[in-house]
Amino acid sequence: MCEANGTATGKILLENSRMRVTEWRFAKRGDNTGWHKHAFDYLVIPMFDGVLEIDQPDGTRVEAKLQNGVPYDRKAGVEHDVINGNDFECAFIEVELLEDAPSV
């Protein structure tokens, strides 16, 4: 993810020329990533059952219900602020695809 200035903490677990894997941790309700725009396609793997609140550029907020271990993916260009909507600490793994896979 590009630089964001929220209260959630990101820890890079793996990075190479093809991917970056980051653990994002939200200690309490209301912790957030800060506004950011994804420069790469990415995959998110929740490590909890619960909700994240997503602020969008048009001023709306949507609730995303997540299930532990059930991934979802998004294309580059997504802009948002991700907020912990739970009364407990939560985390997810984000895998950014920094380049296309080589052709076979």
Side-chain angles (χ1 to χ4, degrees):
M1 179 169 62
C2 58
E3 292 299 315
N5 59 354
T7 53
T9 56
K11 177 182 177 185
I12 295 176
L13 303 176
L14 176 103
E15 186 169 13
N16 59 42
S17 63
R18 293 192 56 216
M19 69 185 80
R20 178 173 36 239
V21 180
T22 305
E23 178 187 76
W24 284 98
R25 191 159 289 279
F26 302 73
K28 63 186 182 314
R29 178 182 280 276
D31 278 355
N32 69 315
T33 57
W35 278 98
H36 60 281
K37 185 173 185 177
H38 287 267
F40 304 101
D41 292 352
Y42 66 100
L43 170 76
V44 171
I45 307 157
M47 299 185 332
F48 68 101
D49 291 328
V51 298
L52 292 175
E53 298 171 348
I54 314 295
D55 282 350
Q56 302 189 76
D58 66 2
T60 61
R61 177 176 283 188
V62 297
E63 183 177 274
K65 294 182 181 184
L66 305 179
Q67 191 174 6
N68 188 15
V70 178
Y72 66 89
D73 66 314
R74 298 285 183 267
K75 297 289 187 189
V78 172
E79 184 177 5
H80 56 204
D81 185 11
V82 179
I83 303 137
N84 180 2
N86 307 286
D87 290 326
F88 54 83
E89 180 180 35
C90 65
F92 61 80
I93 300 293
E94 177 184 81
V95 181
E96 294 172 280
L97 305 175
L98 305 178
E99 67 175 35
D100 293 332
S103 58
V104 182

